Amino acid sequence: RCSVRRSVLAVGIAASLGLASFAAMAQDIKPRLIRFGYGLNEQSNQGRAAKFFAEQVDKASGGKLKVRAIGAAALGPDTQMQQALIGGAQEMMVGSTATLVGTAKEMALWDTPFLFNDAKEADAVLDGPVGKQVMDKLTDKGLVGLAYWENGFRNLTNSKRPVQKLEDLDGIKLRVMQNNVYLDSFKLLGANAVPLPFSELFGALETKAVDGQENPFNTILSSKFFEVQKYLSITNHVYSPWIVTVSRKWWDTLSPAEQKILRDAAIASRNFERQDTRAEASRALNDLKAKGMVINELSATEAARMRDKLTRVNAGIATTVGMELWQQTQAELGKLRAK
Ligand code: TF8
């Protein structure tokens, strides 16, 4: 009898605890303003996905969490926003993984030329254990990574001449991201590589401070590079991801319920963004042609020569990211390709 009474009591306590935690859950979402910065313009794939993210968070939090998406590098270029996140002066951003290598060296893995053969491989590795391992390296550095979005396979544009063979790059002043792998890669190819933040790129192309740049079709279109670049050479030399990050200082003040809303919205926006980006990329080449760009593909021999030169940076990347991570990535790709 005694034990029956005790278990009745236990059920009562459990029920009231359950109620208490339910009530706490509702209060666990506080009104907050989230500044979400990005570098491309509102009409870009990055801008559309940032808007989608804001809407998701609004819905899931009953309007309590307000995301203010601020594009066109109005909060500064990638590197400046990263520092603002680390310092706690800004809550969130999306930007290139390439500009994060100084913060977490493992990010250099995504700079590997020709790492992925297609978007399917990219998704599998980025969303799998390797991608998570790399993303989690940010946590000790003051950032929390939530999801990889697609920037895409990068292609070469310039105002001088079609790049049909390696030698055509000789002496071309080429803007690269602020990242050593990119700098070394394009120097290896014979270009005069100049690191610049994305926000300064259009102006530099317009004034001919640089002759060329490399970015996915989507960006060449949305940033109107076709206005200042005549030649587009399809090289697909690297797949570049974007990453959605949160200030760790700020993240640690959030309740688990708030953190979950942001995580879920980042994943939902990732799925939206990849689909949107791929749809746009499949149309972009025609659009760019219509805008007057002269587009060329590389012959198989020249593509192979370029690949051979570029992959000479791989050994350095393996050392930077660590041999274990490098081999794990190769093993995962091997498994994917055997399927
Ligand atoms: C680049 C990147 C850009 C990103 C973006 C501003 O060339 O491809 O897309 O940095 O977040 O800088």
Side-chain angles (χ1 to χ4, degrees):
R1 265 169 51 208
C2 198
S3 82
V4 168
R5 235 168 46 214
R6 221 181 287 139
S7 64
V8 168
L9 192 67
V11 169
I13 289 170
S16 64
L17 273 179
L19 271 179
S21 66
F22 186 78
M25 274 272 282
Q27 286 168 358
D28 247 4
I29 303 165
K30 296 205 178 80
R32 295 181 191 270
L33 178 69
I34 303 164
R35 283 157 298 184
F36 184 104
Y38 61 95
L40 300 192
N41 61 47
E42 270 179 51
Q43 286 74 42
S44 66
N45 53 339
Q46 203 176 44
R48 290 189 294 273
K51 188 161 169 266
F52 182 94
F53 174 78
E55 290 164 357
Q56 291 290 116
V57 172
D58 188 70
K59 257 189 261 166
S61 68
K64 283 188 177 172
L65 302 180
K66 287 264 175 263
V67 177
R68 191 186 295 158
I70 307 165
L75 296 178
D78 284 6
T79 48
Q80 191 181 320
M81 289 196 283
Q82 288 155 18
Q83 291 315 309
L85 260 64
I86 292 168
Q90 182 183 327
E91 293 75 27
M92 291 188 72
M93 68 173 286
V94 64
S96 182
T97 54
T99 49
L100 272 173
V101 174
T103 303
K105 59 184 181 358
E106 291 80 4
M107 285 285 162
L109 183 61
W110 314 129
D111 302 330
T112 308
F114 303 102
L115 182 65
F116 303 130
N117 288 334
D118 52 41
K120 228 174 135 189
E121 286 185 5
D123 292 356
V125 173
L126 288 162
D127 301 344
V130 168
K132 182 173 163 30
Q133 211 175 302
V134 173
M135 189 183 271
D136 288 349
K137 296 289 178 197
L138 294 171
T139 320
D140 284 345
K141 314 286 181 174
L143 297 170
V144 178
L146 296 188
Y148 293 104
W149 288 359
E150 172 159 294
N151 188 356
F153 284 98
R154 303 178 79 91
N155 291 289
L156 211 63
T157 70
N158 83 95
S159 56
K160 291 250 151 145
R161 54 184 168 261
V163 174
Q164 266 151 349
K165 52 182 190 311
L166 262 178
E167 289 72 15
D168 293 330
L169 269 170
D170 275 354
I172 285 194
K173 251 187 147 179
L174 190 84
R175 176 269 179 177
V176 292
M177 289 190 280
Q178 293 150 297
N179 169 293
N180 283 332
V181 177
Y182 277 84
L183 197 60
D184 294 347
S185 298
F186 283 98
K187 278 187 181 160
L188 254 174
L189 292 185
N192 181 358
V194 193
L196 271 184
F198 185 85
S199 50
E200 285 171 33
L201 180 50
F202 187 93
L205 293 169
E206 193 176 30
T207 59
K208 301 251 159 65
V210 295
D211 307 314
Q213 63 88 43
E214 41 85 55
N215 254 300
F217 296 148
N218 307 65
T219 301
I220 300 170
L221 193 61
S222 65
S223 288
K224 299 195 186 317
F225 290 159
F226 55 82
E227 290 181 355
V228 287
Q229 297 278 273
K230 182 84 185 160
Y231 304 103
L232 166 58
S233 305
I234 303 177
T235 49
N236 290 315
H237 50 273
V238 65
Y239 176 95
S240 114
W242 282 325
I243 186 168
V244 177
T245 50
V246 189
S247 160
R248 165 95 196 263
K249 256 193 183 164
W250 180 73
W251 178 258
D252 287 347
T253 69
L254 300 182
S255 68
E258 291 168 330
Q259 291 180 348
K260 182 169 165 25
I261 288 173
L262 296 182
R263 266 192 203 289
D264 291 350
I267 300 293
S269 60
R270 172 194 78 195
N271 298 340
F272 165 86
E273 194 267 353
R274 285 180 182 163
Q275 215 176 350
D276 177 59
T277 298
R278 285 162 199 174
E280 183 183 51
S282 70
R283 295 187 305 262
L285 210 50
N286 272 331
D287 294 348
L288 291 170
K289 220 176 273 171
K291 303 280 188 199
M293 287 196 95
V294 174
I295 300 167
N296 76 280
E297 279 184 66
L298 266 64
S299 71
T301 327
E302 283 306 320
R305 277 182 78 210
M306 194 176 275
R307 193 185 178 109
D308 184 59
K309 262 255 161 91
L310 270 178
T311 47
R312 286 180 205 176
V313 298
N314 286 6
I317 298 174
T319 310
T320 301
V321 304
M323 215 22 120
E324 217 180 299
L325 180 63
W326 178 265
Q327 277 165 354
Q328 197 187 333
T329 310
Q330 296 305 324
E332 214 166 298
L333 284 167
K335 257 191 269 164
L336 287 168
R337 286 166 193 168
K339 271 187 192 162

